[in-house]
Amino acid sequence: MAHGSLLSSILVWLGVLSLISYVIGILDALYVYLQPSQLHRYLHPDKNGRPAWALVTGASDGIGRAFSFELAARGFNVVLHGRNQAKLDGVRQELLARHGPSQEFRILIADAKDCSQETLAKITRQLADINLTVLVNNAGGAPESKTFGTLDEYSNRQVTETVHVNALFPTLLLGELMPMLARNAPSLALSVGSVTDHGLPLLSFYGASKAFFWVIATSAARENKMVQRDIEVLHLRIGLVTGVAAVQQPPTLFVPHASHLAKVALARVGCGRIVVTPYWGHLVQAESMAMLPEWVQAIFYVHALKDLQENGMNSGLVASKK
Ligand SMILES: NC(=O)c1ccc[n+]([C@@H]2O[C@H](COP(=O)([O-])OP(=O)(O)OC[C@H]3O[C@@H](n4cnc5c(N)ncnc54)[C@H](OP(=O)(O)O)[C@@H]3O)[C@@H](O)[C@H]2O)c1
């Protein structure tokens, strides 16, 4: 009898503790979403009165293009980085039509596959005359010729270039521009990551390169704290987004448009985290998957990625664990 009541008390307390930890988890997640954006902190002139600029890599299309429009709408001058002059000219003309002549937009051409010191120094030189306070490391993507495949199906060159564009280029750019961001502080370094960063089939080195930059961003944020640099580092984990070069399906609850993604990402600035899933639909997908046992997740991923490989990105569904 005494044993029975002890056991039921233990079970009740375990239940209460689980409930409390579950509620704390939900409140913690909600806190990130309910915080007002602190982006305005970075819209400040420097001591010479020069206005604030943002650099967006991969600004010619998709999410980078959307970030450029959102940042311009919030008063930033924007450096549009990419590799295709004609596409960037088009984006610049659209921005000038909306925000010129009170705001400026300039183009910076550099292939992100080229991670040489020479290229990075050239980028820095082109930014030397402006008050850069925001960096959005966005350029990236899976191999252009084949989004989904097993590791052995890719050439040495495809793997190397994908890792360069998604991992090395943003890493070296962040390191190269950190002194400039420190001089112009308070400043912000955003990076566009992916929920595919934890070992999904058919996306091995693309996902791994996003995981690489997650770690870089986390270390950089902690280093900034350590050396008391007022540079916010915020890494964004995102799921499937439409309105980008490879995905043009109508937006759904779980597949937002790039322009909405950029809006909610900027809304998360100043949330106090280093890594965040800015869009709630992607968070729900990620958290639901995280609750499942690993073997169930594996079944789901094999099925979902096979479907994407066979039917293309516009067929729809990618979910993920935390
Ligand atoms: N869309 C999604 O579902 C999704 C999900 C998770 C993460 N992401 C990430 O979001 C970021 C933006 O992707 P997106 O979906 O917006 O794709 P996108 O529409 O293809 O845009 C990619 C941008 O990066 C540029 N870029 C690619 N390779 C480059 C290179 N070697 N040098 C210079 N610029 C280069 C592209 O330039 P061009 O116009 O010349 O091609 C374009 O401006 C990427 O980092 C991607 O990994 C996307």
Side-chain angles (χ1 to χ4, degrees), residues 58-64 81-84 87 110-113 138-142 144 165-166 192-195 206 210 238-241 244-247 313:
S60 57
D61 216 327
I63 296 167
H81 159 269
R83 57 185 167 173
N84 181 326
K87 274 172 93 173
D111 190 334
K113 290 183 204 119
N138 160 80
E144 283 154 42
V165 175
N166 291 284
V192 180
S194 166
V195 296
Y206 167 69
K210 294 297 188 188
I238 61 172
L240 196 60
V241 173
V244 302
V247 193
M313 297 276 274

Tab-separated table of all heavy atoms in Angstrom, residues 58-64 81-84 87 110-113 138-142 144 165-166 192-195 206 210 238-241 244-247 313, ligand 1:
chain	number	residue	atom	x	y	z
A	58	GLY	N	24.047	37.380	-52.822
A	58	GLY	CA	23.012	36.650	-53.570
A	58	GLY	C	21.733	37.457	-53.649
A	58	GLY	O	20.639	36.955	-53.391
A	59	ALA	N	21.887	38.745	-54.033
A	59	ALA	CA	20.731	39.656	-54.024
A	59	ALA	C	19.982	39.658	-55.343
A	59	ALA	O	18.982	40.355	-55.478
A	59	ALA	CB	21.208	41.071	-53.689
A	60	SER	N	20.447	38.871	-56.311
A	60	SER	CA	19.827	38.943	-57.637
A	60	SER	C	18.534	38.137	-57.729
A	60	SER	O	17.796	38.266	-58.704
A	60	SER	CB	20.806	38.445	-58.702
A	60	SER	OG	21.219	37.131	-58.403
A	61	ASP	N	18.272	37.298	-56.738
A	61	ASP	CA	17.094	36.421	-56.856
A	61	ASP	C	16.604	36.006	-55.464
A	61	ASP	O	17.303	36.196	-54.456
A	61	ASP	CB	17.472	35.165	-57.666
A	61	ASP	CG	16.327	34.685	-58.553
A	61	ASP	OD1	15.167	34.859	-58.140
A	61	ASP	OD2	16.600	34.161	-59.637
A	62	GLY	N	15.409	35.426	-55.433
A	62	GLY	CA	14.890	34.725	-54.260
A	62	GLY	C	14.960	35.487	-52.948
A	62	GLY	O	14.562	36.657	-52.845
A	63	ILE	N	15.485	34.803	-51.948
A	63	ILE	CA	15.474	35.337	-50.584
A	63	ILE	C	16.383	36.569	-50.455
A	63	ILE	O	16.035	37.548	-49.773
A	63	ILE	CB	15.896	34.216	-49.595
A	63	ILE	CG1	14.860	33.083	-49.630
A	63	ILE	CG2	16.039	34.758	-48.178
A	63	ILE	CD1	15.303	31.799	-48.946
A	64	GLY	N	17.524	36.547	-51.132
A	64	GLY	CA	18.443	37.698	-51.071
A	64	GLY	C	17.811	38.944	-51.675
A	64	GLY	O	17.932	40.047	-51.152
A	81	HIS	N	24.951	42.174	-53.886
A	81	HIS	CA	26.024	41.297	-54.371
A	81	HIS	C	25.453	40.170	-55.223
A	81	HIS	O	24.345	39.688	-54.973
A	81	HIS	CB	26.798	40.686	-53.190
A	81	HIS	CG	27.529	39.431	-53.586
A	81	HIS	ND1	26.969	38.166	-53.473
A	81	HIS	CD2	28.745	39.244	-54.149
A	81	HIS	CE1	27.821	37.264	-53.921
A	81	HIS	NE2	28.910	37.887	-54.332
A	82	GLY	N	26.235	39.752	-56.204
A	82	GLY	CA	25.861	38.595	-57.012
A	82	GLY	C	26.914	38.371	-58.077
A	82	GLY	O	28.001	38.934	-58.024
A	83	ARG	N	26.545	37.528	-59.054
A	83	ARG	CA	27.514	37.235	-60.121
A	83	ARG	C	26.954	37.575	-61.490
A	83	ARG	O	27.648	37.441	-62.493
A	83	ARG	CB	27.881	35.756	-60.064
A	83	ARG	CG	26.632	34.893	-60.184
A	83	ARG	CD	26.876	33.438	-60.027
A	83	ARG	NE	25.579	32.791	-59.846
A	83	ARG	CZ	25.378	31.500	-59.808
A	83	ARG	NH1	26.413	30.697	-59.894
A	83	ARG	NH2	24.189	31.006	-59.655
A	84	ASN	N	25.690	37.988	-61.522
A	84	ASN	CA	25.035	38.240	-62.803
A	84	ASN	C	24.655	39.727	-62.885
A	84	ASN	O	23.677	40.179	-62.289
A	84	ASN	CB	23.790	37.338	-62.885
A	84	ASN	CG	23.042	37.504	-64.178
A	84	ASN	OD1	22.974	38.593	-64.752
A	84	ASN	ND2	22.468	36.413	-64.667
A	87	LYS	N	20.987	40.715	-64.017
A	87	LYS	CA	19.936	40.491	-63.010
A	87	LYS	C	20.037	41.531	-61.896
A	87	LYS	O	19.036	42.066	-61.421
A	87	LYS	CB	20.071	39.082	-62.403
A	87	LYS	CG	19.367	38.001	-63.205
A	87	LYS	CD	19.693	36.623	-62.667
A	87	LYS	CE	18.678	36.135	-61.660
A	87	LYS	NZ	18.916	34.736	-61.258
A	110	ALA	N	30.911	39.368	-57.467
A	110	ALA	CA	31.968	38.441	-57.027
A	110	ALA	C	31.379	37.040	-57.030
A	110	ALA	O	30.291	36.820	-56.484
A	110	ALA	CB	32.458	38.795	-55.627
A	111	ASP	N	32.085	36.105	-57.634
A	111	ASP	CA	31.605	34.721	-57.649
A	111	ASP	C	31.935	34.081	-56.301
A	111	ASP	O	33.111	34.018	-55.914
A	111	ASP	CB	32.273	33.955	-58.795
A	111	ASP	CG	31.622	32.594	-59.007
A	111	ASP	OD1	31.049	32.047	-58.043
A	111	ASP	OD2	31.695	32.093	-60.136
A	112	ALA	N	30.916	33.608	-55.607
A	112	ALA	CA	31.123	33.035	-54.262
A	112	ALA	C	31.858	31.699	-54.298
A	112	ALA	O	32.217	31.164	-53.255
A	112	ALA	CB	29.779	32.893	-53.555
A	113	LYS	N	32.064	31.167	-55.507
A	113	LYS	CA	32.877	29.936	-55.593
A	113	LYS	C	34.344	30.285	-55.399
A	113	LYS	O	35.158	29.431	-55.092
A	113	LYS	CB	32.710	29.299	-56.975
A	113	LYS	CG	31.352	28.700	-57.209
A	113	LYS	CD	31.326	28.030	-58.598
A	113	LYS	CE	29.918	27.946	-59.123
A	113	LYS	NZ	29.730	28.680	-60.377
A	138	ASN	N	23.733	35.455	-47.566
A	138	ASN	CA	22.595	34.690	-48.081
A	138	ASN	C	22.937	33.821	-49.284
A	138	ASN	O	22.338	32.759	-49.460
A	138	ASN	CB	21.480	35.691	-48.460
A	138	ASN	CG	20.480	35.088	-49.418
A	138	ASN	OD1	19.574	34.349	-49.016
A	138	ASN	ND2	20.628	35.360	-50.713
A	139	ALA	N	23.900	34.253	-50.118
A	139	ALA	CA	24.171	33.525	-51.375
A	139	ALA	C	24.396	32.048	-51.075
A	139	ALA	O	25.074	31.701	-50.110
A	139	ALA	CB	25.394	34.112	-52.071
A	140	GLY	N	23.829	31.201	-51.901
A	140	GLY	CA	24.029	29.775	-51.669
A	140	GLY	C	23.005	28.943	-52.392
A	140	GLY	O	22.211	29.444	-53.189
A	141	GLY	N	23.040	27.669	-52.088
A	141	GLY	CA	22.098	26.738	-52.693
A	141	GLY	C	22.767	25.407	-52.967
A	141	GLY	O	23.983	25.262	-52.851
A	142	ALA	N	21.945	24.430	-53.325
A	142	ALA	CA	22.447	23.098	-53.689
A	142	ALA	C	23.048	23.182	-55.097
A	142	ALA	O	22.840	24.179	-55.790
A	142	ALA	CB	21.287	22.113	-53.641
A	144	GLU	N	23.609	23.466	-58.826
A	144	GLU	CA	22.592	23.936	-59.765
A	144	GLU	C	22.111	22.837	-60.713
A	144	GLU	O	20.930	22.744	-61.020
A	144	GLU	CB	23.135	25.113	-60.560
A	144	GLU	CG	23.131	26.392	-59.736
A	144	GLU	CD	24.175	27.384	-60.199
A	144	GLU	OE1	24.341	27.554	-61.409
A	144	GLU	OE2	24.832	27.986	-59.321
A	165	VAL	N	30.557	27.905	-51.783
A	165	VAL	CA	29.510	28.939	-51.824
A	165	VAL	C	28.737	29.018	-50.499
A	165	VAL	O	28.466	30.111	-49.996
A	165	VAL	CB	28.535	28.678	-53.001
A	165	VAL	CG1	27.377	29.662	-52.970
A	165	VAL	CG2	29.270	28.780	-54.325
A	166	ASN	N	28.408	27.859	-49.921
A	166	ASN	CA	27.541	27.850	-48.725
A	166	ASN	C	28.290	27.941	-47.404
A	166	ASN	O	27.701	28.327	-46.386
A	166	ASN	CB	26.695	26.581	-48.702
A	166	ASN	CG	25.658	26.565	-49.791
A	166	ASN	OD1	24.635	27.241	-49.689
A	166	ASN	ND2	25.912	25.825	-50.858
A	192	VAL	N	21.834	33.025	-43.776
A	192	VAL	CA	20.687	32.206	-44.162
A	192	VAL	C	21.122	30.736	-44.187
A	192	VAL	O	21.876	30.304	-45.057
A	192	VAL	CB	20.139	32.642	-45.540
A	192	VAL	CG1	18.946	31.770	-45.925
A	192	VAL	CG2	19.724	34.109	-45.494
A	193	GLY	N	20.647	30.004	-43.196
A	193	GLY	CA	20.944	28.577	-43.095
A	193	GLY	C	19.744	27.773	-43.547
A	193	GLY	O	18.828	28.287	-44.206
A	194	SER	N	19.747	26.516	-43.177
A	194	SER	CA	18.688	25.634	-43.665
A	194	SER	C	18.379	24.548	-42.636
A	194	SER	O	19.270	24.093	-41.916
A	194	SER	CB	19.160	24.988	-44.968
A	194	SER	OG	18.325	23.909	-45.307
A	195	VAL	N	17.119	24.131	-42.606
A	195	VAL	CA	16.745	23.019	-41.731
A	195	VAL	C	17.233	21.674	-42.275
A	195	VAL	O	16.996	20.642	-41.666
A	195	VAL	CB	15.217	22.971	-41.497
A	195	VAL	CG1	14.724	24.188	-40.760
A	195	VAL	CG2	14.476	22.776	-42.814
A	206	TYR	N	25.466	19.731	-49.143
A	206	TYR	CA	24.750	21.018	-49.036
A	206	TYR	C	24.349	21.221	-47.569
A	206	TYR	O	24.645	22.259	-46.966
A	206	TYR	CB	23.524	21.027	-49.946
A	206	TYR	CG	22.572	22.169	-49.656
A	206	TYR	CD1	22.932	23.484	-49.942
A	206	TYR	CD2	21.322	21.945	-49.060
A	206	TYR	CE1	22.066	24.545	-49.652
A	206	TYR	CE2	20.458	22.990	-48.778
A	206	TYR	CZ	20.836	24.281	-49.071
A	206	TYR	OH	19.994	25.326	-48.771
A	210	LYS	N	25.727	23.983	-44.567
A	210	LYS	CA	24.876	24.859	-43.750
A	210	LYS	C	25.152	24.625	-42.257
A	210	LYS	O	25.136	25.561	-41.457
A	210	LYS	CB	23.392	24.609	-44.056
A	210	LYS	CG	22.983	25.006	-45.470
A	210	LYS	CD	23.165	26.497	-45.707
A	210	LYS	CE	22.595	26.963	-47.025
A	210	LYS	NZ	22.934	28.356	-47.335
A	238	ILE	N	16.023	27.915	-42.150
A	238	ILE	CA	14.742	27.991	-42.847
A	238	ILE	C	14.434	26.694	-43.588
A	238	ILE	O	15.324	25.949	-43.966
A	238	ILE	CB	14.684	29.204	-43.803
A	238	ILE	CG1	15.747	29.106	-44.876
A	238	ILE	CG2	14.830	30.508	-43.053
A	238	ILE	CD1	15.582	30.184	-45.924
A	239	GLY	N	13.150	26.464	-43.765
A	239	GLY	CA	12.680	25.309	-44.524
A	239	GLY	C	12.369	25.747	-45.950
A	239	GLY	O	12.874	26.778	-46.422
A	240	LEU	N	11.497	25.008	-46.603
A	240	LEU	CA	11.217	25.300	-48.011
A	240	LEU	C	10.541	26.674	-48.154
A	240	LEU	O	9.618	27.008	-47.416
A	240	LEU	CB	10.326	24.197	-48.581
A	240	LEU	CG	10.228	24.126	-50.103
A	240	LEU	CD1	11.588	23.900	-50.740
A	240	LEU	CD2	9.269	23.018	-50.527
A	241	VAL	N	11.053	27.441	-49.120
A	241	VAL	CA	10.545	28.803	-49.381
A	241	VAL	C	10.258	28.896	-50.874
A	241	VAL	O	11.038	28.384	-51.690
A	241	VAL	CB	11.632	29.839	-48.987
A	241	VAL	CG1	11.220	31.245	-49.403
A	241	VAL	CG2	11.906	29.789	-47.490
A	244	VAL	N	11.574	31.709	-55.241
A	244	VAL	CA	13.024	31.660	-55.447
A	244	VAL	C	13.261	30.981	-56.794
A	244	VAL	O	12.316	30.455	-57.391
A	244	VAL	CB	13.730	30.874	-54.306
A	244	VAL	CG1	13.427	31.492	-52.959
A	244	VAL	CG2	13.317	29.406	-54.311
A	245	ALA	N	14.516	31.003	-57.266
A	245	ALA	CA	14.781	30.496	-58.610
A	245	ALA	C	14.222	29.086	-58.824
A	245	ALA	O	13.594	28.817	-59.847
A	245	ALA	CB	16.282	30.532	-58.886
A	246	ALA	N	14.396	28.199	-57.835
A	246	ALA	CA	14.026	26.801	-58.061
A	246	ALA	C	12.615	26.443	-57.608
A	246	ALA	O	12.133	25.347	-57.905
A	246	ALA	CB	15.026	25.896	-57.339
A	247	VAL	N	11.975	27.305	-56.858
A	247	VAL	CA	10.635	26.973	-56.335
A	247	VAL	C	9.689	28.129	-56.639
A	247	VAL	O	9.902	29.257	-56.175
A	247	VAL	CB	10.659	26.730	-54.798
A	247	VAL	CG1	9.355	26.092	-54.331
A	247	VAL	CG2	11.835	25.860	-54.401
A	313	MET	N	11.121	20.246	-56.634
A	313	MET	CA	10.937	21.100	-55.454
A	313	MET	C	9.527	21.646	-55.343
A	313	MET	O	9.037	21.936	-54.269
A	313	MET	CB	11.897	22.293	-55.514
A	313	MET	CG	13.342	21.910	-55.483
A	313	MET	SD	13.916	21.682	-53.816
A	313	MET	CE	14.347	23.358	-53.417
B	1	LIG	N1	14.475	28.380	-51.082
B	1	LIG	C1	14.525	27.504	-50.098
B	1	LIG	O1	13.626	26.676	-49.934
B	1	LIG	C2	15.692	27.527	-49.135
B	1	LIG	C3	15.597	26.729	-47.980
B	1	LIG	C4	16.643	26.741	-47.063
B	1	LIG	C5	17.748	27.555	-47.294
B	1	LIG	N2	17.826	28.317	-48.426
B	1	LIG	C6	19.007	29.156	-48.597
B	1	LIG	O2	18.593	30.475	-48.898
B	1	LIG	C7	19.631	31.141	-49.620
B	1	LIG	C8	19.027	31.819	-50.835
B	1	LIG	O3	18.526	30.815	-51.703
B	1	LIG	P1	17.240	31.031	-52.616
B	1	LIG	O4	16.305	29.935	-52.314
B	1	LIG	O5	16.777	32.436	-52.544
B	1	LIG	O6	17.876	30.684	-54.052
B	1	LIG	P2	17.979	31.526	-55.413
B	1	LIG	O7	16.675	32.092	-55.768
B	1	LIG	O8	18.649	30.601	-56.360
B	1	LIG	O9	18.990	32.705	-55.019
B	1	LIG	C9	20.311	32.423	-54.718
B	1	LIG	C10	21.126	33.689	-54.819
B	1	LIG	O10	22.502	33.370	-54.563
B	1	LIG	C11	23.270	33.745	-55.703
B	1	LIG	N3	24.383	32.856	-55.921
B	1	LIG	C12	24.363	31.514	-56.015
B	1	LIG	N4	25.600	31.050	-56.272
B	1	LIG	C13	26.409	32.137	-56.346
B	1	LIG	C14	27.784	32.315	-56.613
B	1	LIG	N5	28.597	31.284	-56.883
B	1	LIG	N6	28.291	33.574	-56.584
B	1	LIG	C15	27.496	34.634	-56.345
B	1	LIG	N7	26.180	34.528	-56.112
B	1	LIG	C16	25.640	33.295	-56.118
B	1	LIG	C17	22.286	33.648	-56.873
B	1	LIG	O11	22.785	34.350	-57.998
B	1	LIG	P3	22.192	34.074	-59.483
B	1	LIG	O12	20.925	34.876	-59.600
B	1	LIG	O13	23.271	34.562	-60.385
B	1	LIG	O14	21.952	32.594	-59.595
B	1	LIG	C18	21.060	34.278	-56.221
B	1	LIG	O15	21.205	35.659	-56.142
B	1	LIG	C19	20.666	30.071	-49.963
B	1	LIG	O16	21.740	30.173	-49.064
B	1	LIG	C20	19.921	28.765	-49.771
B	1	LIG	O17	20.782	27.715	-49.445
B	1	LIG	C21	16.817	28.322	-49.344
